[in-house]
Amino acid sequence: MYSLYPLLKVVSGISLHPRRISQSVMKGTVAYDMIRPISLFNLSLFLQIGHFLFTLLTVSIPLSISYHFLFGVKFPFTLSINSLSILCASFFGLFIAFEIGYSIGLLSLITTRTGGFLSMFDGLMILLGGAYLPLNIYPSFLKDLTSLTPFASIQYFPLQGLSNGSVPSWQLITQLFWLALLICITNIQESKLRQRLKIAGG
């Protein structure tokens, strides 16, 4: 049986950049963030990449090595198309999580705080994400419906691929659909919020 904690730990930092944006709004410095040479999106993205690499190097990789030598746990990675599908699913899942977090962060320009939205996201991940409450225990119709949500794309698809050795093409297509849709949504959000700041004299 494969230990999934290292992968779960990597995708658990979604609240990092929404909270940073919310703090900038409360301090009144968000206008400066939006006129920097680097865009607010890229600033948030690099912050999340830094957190991802830090967690990967200090938690996930050491844990995986420890599991291997102490308990004989092996992860099903070989140089193959199947392993590539797992890596793609993991990348898409991380980026979908980032886009949802960025969208929540942008909402703080209207609501100031993001705690309620982040709590709702955590609840939906528990119910629909498939990492803490496996989707296999749901009735078939509910499992099929839940598999079409972005929450399943974030964790359930990569974890299922890690357990099964590959990710089906329809899951990758579902992830790409949500990724494209969320990118469009956040672009529209950012454009409208920039316009709102200009009208307000920001």
Side-chain angles (χ1 to χ4, degrees), residues 122-149:
D122 289 339
L124 289 172
M125 282 300 301
I126 291 173
L127 291 174
L128 307 177
Y132 304 101
L133 190 63
L135 300 187
N136 292 332
I137 69 174
Y138 291 166
S140 58
F141 76 94
L142 188 57
K143 177 184 174 183
D144 293 341
L145 186 62
T146 303
S147 296
L148 298 177
T149 67

Side-chain angles (χ1 to χ4, degrees), residues 5-6 9 14 16 19 22 40 48 68 77 97 110 114 117 123-124 133 136 148 154-155 157 161 171 182 188 200:
Y5 178 77
K9 186 61 180 175
I14 184 177
L16 189 64
R19 293 189 190 280
S22 177
L40 183 62
Q48 192 66 31
H68 174 72
F77 279 111
I110 301 173
T114 59
F117 293 108
L124 289 172
L133 190 63
N136 292 332
L148 298 177
I154 292 172
Q155 285 190 337
F157 291 170
Q171 292 184 354
L182 288 166
I188 292 171

Side-chain angles (χ1 to χ4, degrees), residues 35-154:
I35 62 174
R36 291 175 186 269
I38 182 173
S39 68
L40 183 62
F41 175 86
N42 287 335
L43 188 64
S44 300
L45 179 61
F46 289 134
L47 179 68
Q48 192 66 31
I49 290 175
H51 178 270
F52 164 77
L53 292 176
F54 177 79
T55 306
L56 187 69
L57 294 175
T58 62
V59 179
S60 299
I61 291 178
L63 274 178
S64 299
I65 294 173
S66 299
Y67 290 162
H68 174 72
F69 286 106
L70 294 176
F71 308 110
V73 174
K74 296 181 180 179
F75 290 89
F77 279 111
T78 56
L79 295 177
S80 65
I81 297 298
N82 290 339
S83 295
L84 182 61
S85 71
I86 297 173
L87 292 175
C88 287
S90 300
F91 172 79
F92 294 155
L94 287 168
F95 212 87
I96 290 170
F98 169 79
E99 285 290 337
I100 292 177
Y102 185 60
S103 179
I104 292 173
L106 291 177
L107 287 175
S108 67
L109 292 169
I110 301 173
T111 63
T112 305
R113 298 182 182 275
T114 59
F117 293 108
L118 290 172
S119 295
M120 182 174 66
F121 173 81
D122 289 339
L124 289 172
M125 282 300 301
I126 291 173
L127 291 174
L128 307 177
Y132 304 101
L133 190 63
L135 300 187
N136 292 332
I137 69 174
Y138 291 166
S140 58
F141 76 94
L142 188 57
K143 177 184 174 183
D144 293 341
L145 186 62
T146 303
S147 296
L148 298 177
T149 67
F151 308 102
S153 292
I154 292 172

Side-chain angles (χ1 to χ4, degrees), residues 173-187:
I173 293 172
T174 302
Q175 287 181 307
L176 286 172
F177 166 78
W178 281 114
L179 189 54
L181 180 61
L182 288 166
I183 288 173
C184 291
I185 290 173
T186 53
N187 284 342

